[in-house]
Amino acid sequence: QGSVDCPNLEFEYGDADGHGAELAELYSYTEEPELSTNRRCFEEDFHAQVQGRRWLELERAQQKAYVMRLLDGLEVVNRDKRLKVARAILYLAQGVFRDCDNEGDVLHWSRHNSFLLYQLGTFTAFLELLNMEIDNSQACSSALRKPAISLADSTELRVLLSVMYLMVENIRVEQEADPPEWKTCRETFRMELSFPVHTEEPFALLLFTMVTKFCSGHAPHFPMKKVLLLLWKVLLFTLGGFEALQAMKVRKREELGLPPLPEDSIQVMRSMRAASPPTYSIELMEQQQQKRGHRSRRPLVKQDSLDIYNERDPFKNDEAGVDEEENDDVDSGIEGELDLMERDVIIPAMPAQRPPIERVSFPKGLPWAPKVRQKDIEHFLEASRNKFIGFTLGQDTETLIGLPRPIHESVKTLKQHKYVSISDVQIKNEEELEKCPMSLGEEEVQETPCEILYRAMLYNLPQYMIALLKILLAAAPTSKAKTDSINILADVLPEEMPITVLQSMKLGIDVNRHKEIIVKSISALLLLLLKHFKLNHIYQFEYVSQHLVFANCIPLILKFFNQNIMSYITAKNSISVLDYPHCTVCDLPELTAESLEAGDNNQFCWRNLFSCINLLRILNKLTKWKHSRTMMLVVFKSAPILKRALKVKQAMMQLYVLKLLKIQTKYLGRQWRKSNMKTMSAIYQKVRHRMNDDWAYGNDIDARPWDFQAEECTLRANIEAFNSRRYDKPQDSEFAPVDNCLQSVLGQRLELPEDFHYSYELWLEREVFSQPIRWEELLHYQ
């Protein structure tokens, strides 16, 4: 699709989609028959216990008594009986849909029953069952022997995870009409998930362990979609969403005595308008015309600021320059050759009437307040002193003697916009703690859910990141099916493969939807982890970031975007009549191939646009202020891939694409900048300005390729020093005080083995009395 065809997308970014949509995504369409199985298991037991009444008609005390009876049934040894009881509990969590008239009632009773189940200890009971199923070696070995794994291999796990997900999601979502009892319940549940009481580790860590076990090939039957959705929602519930994060950031700045944030970034982004994307097809045609012409490749050249006046009008199509980046052969990079989607699109002839090209209209004020780092002021003064005085004063930013008046004004303006981040303070504190470990003593670490999670994840964190990226790669639409890639379809493929065309179409849609949901959950949980760790401590964030980079996260995200991104965002891989809760209360119409092809009437797919924005935000987090990683973007030829993503007319997505283009423009050469002036204008208009940031010309002092490797190594050393100082607590540290008192040393109780008392006399005889003491050796011992 061209830029003219794409309308503005009315998309509101948030922590998650609507409540009903999030519950619907838990189930695959292949699982639909199991809804009636759950209902049957419940009704058989319920009608045997309660005669002639419906669940909705029972008093609260009767409902509690019945649930307690069900929970007793989970204690039986027989697996089949346990599964029947678990299915009955799942039917309660699904909202006893047989007794409901519409979707709203189903969702209401699903919430009501989830709170009831939690109050009676269902979550803890299911956690024990989940641990048993994870350690079930028989299920693992039978799954490993099978040539093809299907839904039947993960039945117990899917039932357990579904109940836990429904409880977490229903209790997590706040509504105005919630009674005070539910609010208390929500806080208790959050504390229980964040601060482990019975176990040594938070619940999220158990789910991370399931992910790594699945990726290592030891448990191929694990239902990964449900595990990842539950993991994402547990992190969202325990750590907090984006608005909670913003409030925590404001509070932390106050505690550290820093000035308040210049603006609320969430509100600024909501008020931004999408820009018209660059005209792509015309540039391609010109590229084809100019391919015949010889073009010499030049290295980075310092551009004279006067050159900008020699540029032709960037808005005249007939004079637009060749897009250097798209003309390059993309030979180095992401899994061999990237197949650029529009590479072979050649427009045969120039249309007689050109579409009107939108000129960029600048608003009255720019959306973001400019920011300046302390380092920027130091660089500016260093350059000024070298020029006017001939020597520098290190990090002194106060002494302005000998500098002309305009420099004084510049420094004053820079200081007005100086921004000190929480990370800057944390890095400074860390340097001081490393320098003076004795005088500063032990650091007080606040026991937040984020801190507890990081401590629990620390030693296996690289494996967790690799596992998540492996699954993301397998679920990406651009991935080719490889023999060595992991099978993520274990919880979507039916036991009997489809026979008719209609069944095949339905399964095809189900598989695509399944992959999209996996991408959505991984992108959201990675972004949550990065943002929370960054706020908790910068080196925790850097540790996760570095392992993501080492696991090839940057080329993986670029590979994901190297597709027709408009068709991914407008994909219709859902069958709304089969979605929960609609399918539980409405009679299903007869599905035809035409109705499946037509899909729904939505302008875009919420989850796919959400995933794209999350992946762009992760890429921004990994590359921001990291020149070595910015060079990776350049090396992997990301500019044309990102430029194609600008076709999506959604302000937030465009902002993150423009940020990624901005950090690499100085490495792309002058020709690229000249022929992409519309993109440059959009960057100027939408992205925050950093005073003294020479992003548009390439004269920057930071653009020194030989420093890149050293930068990454220094960062790694700092992270290792932080982790060992805070989390490795050796008993015999070199700073530990030495006990010199003979009585206290001899008086210490030593743990001896039980059988030592019986052989004590023999030990004395052998080790002490029979050994001659050579005093001269003792005296001469060095």
Side-chain angles (χ1 to χ4, degrees):
Q1 290 187 24
S3 58
V4 182
D5 306 330
C6 174
N8 280 320
L9 303 183
E10 297 299 322
F11 169 83
E12 192 169 327
Y13 185 81
D15 293 327
D17 203 348
H19 186 50
E22 289 295 338
L23 295 185
E25 288 180 355
L26 178 64
Y27 313 102
S28 56
Y29 299 140
T30 326
E31 286 179 279
E32 188 205 340
E34 293 189 20
L35 291 168
S36 51
T37 313
N38 300 339
R39 192 192 74 217
R40 198 169 56 251
C41 289
F42 172 80
E43 286 176 351
E44 282 172 12
D45 187 80
F46 185 71
H47 293 316
Q49 304 289 342
V50 184
Q51 300 294 327
R53 295 181 72 184
R54 298 189 309 160
W55 172 262
L56 312 188
E57 296 165 357
L58 295 184
E59 298 291 323
R60 187 167 174 78
Q62 292 170 310
Q63 288 180 347
K64 278 186 173 181
Y66 178 70
V67 171
M68 290 302 284
R69 198 179 293 119
L70 276 180
L71 290 175
D72 288 341
L74 289 176
E75 303 292 327
V76 296
V77 178
N78 187 313
R79 274 173 71 84
D80 294 336
K81 286 182 180 175
R82 270 209 315 268
L83 180 61
K84 277 190 171 182
V85 174
R87 282 193 180 282
I89 292 172
L90 176 55
Y91 177 69
L92 281 175
Q94 285 170 339
V96 286
F97 45 80
R98 179 75 182 272
D99 299 348
C100 298
D101 301 324
N102 55 48
E103 294 176 36
D105 284 354
V106 177
L107 294 175
H108 167 77
W109 281 102
S110 179
R111 286 194 89 220
H112 173 275
N113 293 344
S114 293
F115 277 98
L116 178 71
L117 289 169
Y118 171 68
Q119 286 163 344
L120 298 175
T122 311
F123 193 85
T124 314
F126 270 69
L127 184 55
E128 286 175 18
L129 290 174
L130 181 64
N131 274 309
M132 278 168 57
E133 281 301 322
I134 291 168
D135 297 334
N136 184 350
S137 55
Q138 190 183 344
C140 292
S141 57
S142 71
L144 284 165
R145 283 196 302 271
K146 283 191 177 182
I149 301 168
S150 68
L151 276 172
D153 296 295
S154 59
T155 307
E156 286 88 352
L157 276 168
R158 284 186 294 106
V159 170
L160 298 175
L161 290 165
S162 296
V163 171
M164 295 169 107
Y165 178 84
L166 286 166
M167 288 175 71
V168 168
E169 183 61 6
N170 279 318
I171 295 173
R172 179 188 74 81
V173 174
E174 296 179 34
Q175 290 183 4
E176 285 181 18
D178 288 352
E181 180 191 0
W182 283 12
K183 290 175 183 172
T184 315
C185 199
R186 181 177 297 119
E187 287 311 309
T188 314
F189 192 26
R190 183 185 279 125
M191 294 291 279
E192 189 182 311
L193 291 174
S194 311
F195 304 96
V197 183
H198 307 297
T199 55
E200 292 299 310
E201 56 193 31
F203 176 55
L205 200 75
L206 178 69
L207 299 173
F208 271 119
T209 313
M210 285 184 80
V211 175
T212 47
K213 197 172 178 184
F214 170 79
C215 283
S216 64
H218 298 312
H221 65 297
F222 280 2
M224 252 318 99
K225 184 186 84 173
K226 286 182 168 52
V227 172
L228 290 166
L229 279 172
L230 179 55
L231 177 55
W232 166 38
K233 291 303 168 62
V234 166
L235 291 178
L236 187 58
F237 186 30
T238 55
L239 302 180
F242 298 122
E243 292 195 355
L245 196 71
Q246 188 75 3
M248 283 156 67
K249 194 173 179 180
V250 168
R251 198 163 57 245
K252 195 152 191 175
R253 287 185 70 82
E254 277 177 20
E255 286 168 11
L256 294 171
L258 296 173
L261 292 164
E263 70 273 295
D264 184 342
S265 53
I266 297 172
Q267 294 306 322
V268 173
M269 268 185 253
R270 278 183 185 154
S271 61
M272 282 177 99
R273 304 277 305 147
S276 162
T279 44
Y280 198 78
S281 53
I282 296 167
E283 288 176 4
L284 270 170
M285 193 206 66
E286 289 183 356
Q287 174 186 323
Q288 295 294 335
Q289 287 174 350
Q290 296 203 16
K291 243 183 183 174
R292 301 183 197 95
H294 174 70
R295 179 170 56 82
S296 64
R297 185 182 288 270
R298 287 183 299 174
L300 283 178
V301 186
K302 182 169 177 178
Q303 179 183 356
D304 192 293
S305 57
L306 293 174
D307 281 350
I308 197 147
Y309 297 114
N310 302 328
E311 285 188 6
R312 292 167 290 191
D313 184 353
F315 299 109
K316 288 182 184 171
N317 290 323
D318 52 342
E319 292 181 5
V322 56
D323 188 337
E324 180 182 306
E325 197 56 52
E326 280 151 28
N327 200 16
D328 286 344
D329 291 327
V330 186
D331 46 11
S332 62
I334 310 154
E335 289 202 357
E337 240 177 52
L338 287 169
D339 300 313
L340 291 181
M341 290 289 184
E342 284 95 346
R343 178 58 67 83
D344 44 14
V345 178
I346 304 172
I347 297 172
M350 192 72 169
Q353 194 174 2
R354 291 183 198 155
I357 304 301
E358 264 184 61
R359 287 175 179 266
V360 178
S361 56
F362 290 99
K364 290 235 166 57
L366 294 167
W368 306 97
K371 284 181 180 177
V372 180
R373 297 178 298 168
Q374 175 70 17
K375 190 176 160 188
D376 298 332
I377 302 175
E378 286 168 13
H379 281 167
F380 176 73
L381 277 169
E382 187 181 348
S384 303
R385 285 170 183 147
N386 271 330
K387 185 176 178 182
F388 293 106
I389 307 173
F391 62 88
T392 60
L393 298 173
Q395 295 181 333
D396 181 354
T397 56
E398 301 304 318
T399 309
L400 301 177
I401 295 166
L403 296 174
R405 193 81 213 149
I407 300 293
H408 287 233
E409 293 294 326
S410 301
V411 172
K412 185 184 173 188
T413 309
L414 288 173
K415 284 183 177 176
Q416 277 173 354
H417 292 94
K418 182 180 163 185
Y419 175 78
V420 180
S421 67
I422 294 169
S423 306
D424 295 338
V425 177
Q426 289 169 341
I427 289 168
K428 198 174 176 186
N429 288 347
E430 196 57 34
E431 283 172 1
E432 286 173 8
L433 281 163
E434 281 293 321
K435 213 180 289 177
C436 320
M438 295 294 285
S439 55
L440 292 174
E442 279 289 308
E443 178 193 18
E444 277 187 36
V445 182
Q446 206 176 344
E447 286 289 286
T448 59
C450 190
E451 182 64 34
I452 288 167
L453 179 67
Y454 181 78
R455 195 186 307 135
M457 287 175 69
L458 179 61
Y459 296 106
N460 291 317
L461 199 136
Q463 288 91 307
Y464 299 146
M465 294 304 117
I466 290 167
L468 287 173
L469 293 183
K470 265 189 182 176
I471 298 170
L472 184 60
L473 177 64
T478 46
S479 288
K480 309 283 187 291
K482 291 198 186 73
T483 48
D484 59 341
S485 67
I486 47 177
N487 175 21
I488 53 168
L489 304 178
D491 52 333
V492 70
L493 297 177
E495 277 188 278
E496 296 171 4
M497 291 310 279
I499 308 160
T500 64
V501 174
L502 187 67
Q503 286 174 336
S504 299
M505 283 181 71
K506 184 180 160 188
L507 183 61
I509 288 172
D510 206 2
V511 165
N512 288 338
R513 173 178 178 266
H514 181 82
K515 287 181 172 180
E516 288 171 3
I517 294 166
I518 286 176
V519 171
K520 171 190 172 182
S521 52
I522 291 179
S523 65
L525 78 89
L526 279 177
L527 181 63
L528 264 182
L529 280 177
L530 287 171
K531 286 188 78 67
H532 277 281
F533 284 152
K534 188 171 185 184
L535 185 61
N536 198 50
H537 199 289
I538 182 65
Y539 284 138
Q540 294 177 351
F541 161 80
E542 295 292 8
Y543 187 54
V544 176
S545 299
Q546 223 171 36
H547 281 294
L548 285 173
V549 173
F550 293 159
N552 280 337
C553 186
I554 293 175
L556 171 53
I557 295 176
L558 292 175
K559 180 177 165 46
F560 179 88
F561 279 96
N562 188 37
Q563 58 171 313
N564 186 340
I565 210 73
M566 270 311 299
S567 66
Y568 182 71
I569 280 166
T570 54
K572 298 188 186 303
N573 289 316
S574 56
I575 309 165
S576 52
V577 291
L578 295 182
D579 279 339
Y580 169 90
H582 184 275
C583 65
T584 59
V585 287
C586 301
D587 295 328
L588 297 182
E590 191 179 343
L591 292 173
T592 61
E594 290 75 31
S595 67
L596 288 185
E597 262 179 18
D600 51 26
N601 298 321
N602 292 338
Q603 186 193 18
F604 58 89
C605 174
W606 196 96
R607 69 172 160 263
N608 289 358
L609 189 44
F610 179 69
S611 303
C612 288
I613 291 174
N614 287 340
L615 289 170
L616 286 167
R617 292 184 77 179
I618 291 166
L619 201 50
N620 265 293
K621 288 246 169 284
L622 297 182
T623 51
K624 190 177 181 183
W625 304 121
K626 305 283 188 305
H627 302 293
S628 55
R629 298 175 195 175
T630 306
M631 286 307 289
M632 284 177 81
L633 291 179
V634 179
V635 167
F636 289 127
K637 304 265 196 277
S638 65
I641 298 170
L642 292 169
K643 256 190 74 182
R644 272 205 306 278
L646 285 174
K647 285 184 184 180
V648 181
K649 288 185 79 173
Q650 203 284 321
M652 192 171 181
M653 182 160 164
Q654 285 186 346
L655 173 70
Y656 287 110
V657 171
L658 292 169
K659 278 185 171 188
L660 287 165
L661 284 169
K662 178 185 174 181
I663 59 174
Q664 54 178 316
T665 43
K666 58 189 167 203
Y667 306 116
L668 294 175
R670 207 172 100 200
Q671 186 61 48
W672 187 91
R673 296 193 288 272
K674 281 182 77 172
S675 53
N676 286 282
M677 280 307 292
K678 196 166 185 186
T679 307
M680 300 286 279
S681 302
I683 291 172
Y684 181 86
Q685 189 183 1
K686 291 189 177 300
V687 182
R688 187 191 301 277
H689 287 270
R690 297 268 175 180
M691 293 182 179
N692 285 8
D693 180 9
D694 207 1
W695 65 272
Y697 297 109
N699 306 330
D700 200 326
I701 193 164
D702 282 334
R704 295 183 296 217
W706 52 88
D707 287 349
F708 297 158
Q709 204 61 42
E711 174 192 71
E712 205 72 44
C713 292
T714 308
L715 179 62
R716 193 171 187 178
N718 290 340
I719 294 165
E720 283 174 2
F722 163 76
N723 282 335
S724 65
R725 182 190 61 74
R726 193 186 271 199
Y727 302 106
D728 293 347
K729 300 287 183 192
Q731 294 303 310
D732 50 348
S733 163
E734 58 184 301
F735 298 120
V738 179
D739 190 353
N740 294 319
C741 177
L742 188 66
Q743 276 187 315
S744 71
V745 170
L746 292 173
Q748 282 178 1
R749 290 185 63 83
L750 290 173
E751 290 294 324
L752 298 168
E754 286 179 22
D755 57 345
F756 183 74
H757 301 290
Y758 305 116
S759 56
Y760 175 59
E761 289 177 0
L762 282 169
W763 181 83
L764 272 176
E765 187 63 42
R766 190 177 67 244
E767 299 290 333
V768 182
F769 301 141
S770 64
Q771 297 286 337
I773 299 171
R774 291 186 284 275
W775 296 102
E776 67 282 358
E777 279 189 24
L778 190 64
L779 292 169
H780 291 111
Y781 181 69
Q782 292 297 319

